[in-house]
PDB file of all heavy atoms in Angstrom:
ATOM      1  N   LYS A 136       1.883   2.939   1.270  1.00  0.00           N
ATOM      2  CA  LYS A 136       2.093   1.772   0.400  1.00  0.00           C
ATOM      3  C   LYS A 136       2.010   0.471   1.196  1.00  0.00           C
ATOM      4  O   LYS A 136       1.458  -0.522   0.710  1.00  0.00           O
ATOM      5  CB  LYS A 136       3.448   1.879  -0.298  1.00  0.00           C
ATOM      6  CG  LYS A 136       3.703   0.774  -1.288  1.00  0.00           C
ATOM      7  CD  LYS A 136       5.017   0.969  -2.025  1.00  0.00           C
ATOM      8  CE  LYS A 136       5.220  -0.163  -3.023  1.00  0.00           C
ATOM      9  NZ  LYS A 136       6.460   0.008  -3.775  1.00  0.00           N
ATOM     10  N   MET A 137       2.547   0.465   2.410  1.00  0.00           N
ATOM     11  CA  MET A 137       2.475  -0.729   3.249  1.00  0.00           C
ATOM     12  C   MET A 137       1.023  -1.154   3.466  1.00  0.00           C
ATOM     13  O   MET A 137       0.715  -2.343   3.547  1.00  0.00           O
ATOM     14  CB  MET A 137       3.144  -0.472   4.608  1.00  0.00           C
ATOM     15  CG  MET A 137       4.656  -0.368   4.541  1.00  0.00           C
ATOM     16  SD  MET A 137       5.413   0.285   6.069  1.00  0.00           S
ATOM     17  CE  MET A 137       5.113  -1.055   7.214  1.00  0.00           C
ATOM     18  N   LEU A 138       0.119  -0.175   3.545  1.00  0.00           N
ATOM     19  CA  LEU A 138      -1.293  -0.460   3.778  1.00  0.00           C
ATOM     20  C   LEU A 138      -2.115  -0.543   2.489  1.00  0.00           C
ATOM     21  O   LEU A 138      -3.311  -0.820   2.536  1.00  0.00           O
ATOM     22  CB  LEU A 138      -1.892   0.599   4.707  1.00  0.00           C
ATOM     23  CG  LEU A 138      -1.388   0.535   6.147  1.00  0.00           C
ATOM     24  CD1 LEU A 138      -1.845   1.745   6.929  1.00  0.00           C
ATOM     25  CD2 LEU A 138      -1.837  -0.754   6.813  1.00  0.00           C
ATOM     26  N   GLY A 139      -1.475  -0.284   1.345  1.00  0.00           N
ATOM     27  CA  GLY A 139      -2.167  -0.377   0.069  1.00  0.00           C
ATOM     28  C   GLY A 139      -2.975   0.850  -0.314  1.00  0.00           C
ATOM     29  O   GLY A 139      -3.844   0.780  -1.180  1.00  0.00           O
ATOM     30  N   TYR A 140      -2.681   1.975   0.303  1.00  0.00           N
ATOM     31  CA  TYR A 140      -3.381   3.235   0.035  1.00  0.00           C
ATOM     32  C   TYR A 140      -2.420   4.259  -0.556  1.00  0.00           C
ATOM     33  O   TYR A 140      -1.211   4.047  -0.567  1.00  0.00           O
ATOM     34  CB  TYR A 140      -3.945   3.826   1.338  1.00  0.00           C
ATOM     35  CG  TYR A 140      -5.074   3.052   1.959  1.00  0.00           C
ATOM     36  CD1 TYR A 140      -4.833   2.048   2.888  1.00  0.00           C
ATOM     37  CD2 TYR A 140      -6.398   3.335   1.622  1.00  0.00           C
ATOM     38  CE1 TYR A 140      -5.870   1.339   3.470  1.00  0.00           C
ATOM     39  CE2 TYR A 140      -7.434   2.636   2.202  1.00  0.00           C
ATOM     40  CZ  TYR A 140      -7.158   1.640   3.126  1.00  0.00           C
ATOM     41  OH  TYR A 140      -8.201   0.939   3.694  1.00  0.00           O
ATOM     42  N   THR A 141      -2.968   5.392  -0.952  1.00  0.00           N
ATOM     43  CA  THR A 141      -2.160   6.571  -1.240  1.00  0.00           C
ATOM     44  C   THR A 141      -2.195   7.457   0.002  1.00  0.00           C
ATOM     45  O   THR A 141      -3.081   7.306   0.864  1.00  0.00           O
ATOM     46  CB  THR A 141      -2.714   7.378  -2.431  1.00  0.00           C
ATOM     47  OG1 THR A 141      -4.005   7.899  -2.069  1.00  0.00           O
ATOM     48  CG2 THR A 141      -2.815   6.526  -3.690  1.00  0.00           C
ATOM     49  N   CYS A 142      -1.261   8.377   0.093  1.00  0.00           N
ATOM     50  CA  CYS A 142      -1.257   9.317   1.212  1.00  0.00           C
ATOM     51  C   CYS A 142      -2.563  10.103   1.247  1.00  0.00           C
ATOM     52  O   CYS A 142      -3.129  10.335   2.326  1.00  0.00           O
ATOM     53  CB  CYS A 142      -0.074  10.275   1.097  1.00  0.00           C
ATOM     54  SG  CYS A 142       1.533   9.472   1.216  1.00  0.00           S
ATOM     55  N   GLU A 143      -3.052  10.470   0.079  1.00  0.00           N
ATOM     56  CA  GLU A 143      -4.288  11.249  -0.007  1.00  0.00           C
ATOM     57  C   GLU A 143      -5.488  10.455   0.509  1.00  0.00           C
ATOM     58  O   GLU A 143      -6.385  11.018   1.145  1.00  0.00           O
ATOM     59  CB  GLU A 143      -4.534  11.706  -1.452  1.00  0.00           C
ATOM     60  CG  GLU A 143      -3.506  12.699  -1.975  1.00  0.00           C
ATOM     61  CD  GLU A 143      -2.153  12.072  -2.351  1.00  0.00           C
ATOM     62  OE1 GLU A 143      -2.087  10.846  -2.591  1.00  0.00           O
ATOM     63  OE2 GLU A 143      -1.157  12.817  -2.389  1.00  0.00           O
ATOM     64  N   GLU A 144      -5.515   9.157   0.251  1.00  0.00           N
ATOM     65  CA  GLU A 144      -6.620   8.323   0.729  1.00  0.00           C
ATOM     66  C   GLU A 144      -6.614   8.188   2.255  1.00  0.00           C
ATOM     67  O   GLU A 144      -7.669   8.026   2.864  1.00  0.00           O
ATOM     68  CB  GLU A 144      -6.541   6.918   0.121  1.00  0.00           C
ATOM     69  CG  GLU A 144      -6.899   6.850  -1.338  1.00  0.00           C
ATOM     70  CD  GLU A 144      -6.679   5.461  -1.912  1.00  0.00           C
ATOM     71  OE1 GLU A 144      -5.605   4.861  -1.693  1.00  0.00           O
ATOM     72  OE2 GLU A 144      -7.610   4.988  -2.595  1.00  0.00           O
ATOM     73  N   MET A 145      -5.440   8.261   2.856  1.00  0.00           N
ATOM     74  CA  MET A 145      -5.342   8.108   4.302  1.00  0.00           C
ATOM     75  C   MET A 145      -5.531   9.413   5.062  1.00  0.00           C
ATOM     76  O   MET A 145      -5.916   9.402   6.233  1.00  0.00           O
ATOM     77  CB  MET A 145      -3.991   7.491   4.670  1.00  0.00           C
ATOM     78  CG  MET A 145      -3.863   6.049   4.243  1.00  0.00           C
ATOM     79  SD  MET A 145      -2.298   5.294   4.737  1.00  0.00           S
ATOM     80  CE  MET A 145      -2.491   5.226   6.530  1.00  0.00           C
ATOM     81  N   ALA A 146      -5.299  10.525   4.416  1.00  0.00           N
ATOM     82  CA  ALA A 146      -5.360  11.829   5.081  1.00  0.00           C
ATOM     83  C   ALA A 146      -6.711  12.047   5.756  1.00  0.00           C
ATOM     84  O   ALA A 146      -7.764  11.857   5.151  1.00  0.00           O
ATOM     85  CB  ALA A 146      -5.095  12.945   4.075  1.00  0.00           C
ATOM     86  N   GLY A 147      -6.663  12.404   7.035  1.00  0.00           N
ATOM     87  CA  GLY A 147      -7.862  12.723   7.791  1.00  0.00           C
ATOM     88  C   GLY A 147      -8.626  11.524   8.331  1.00  0.00           C
ATOM     89  O   GLY A 147      -9.541  11.692   9.137  1.00  0.00           O
TER      90      GLY A 147
END
Side-chain angles (χ1 to χ4, degrees):
K136 184 176 181 179
M137 289 168 69
L138 291 170
Y140 291 90
T141 65
C142 296
E143 294 76 21
E144 288 175 312
M145 291 182 68

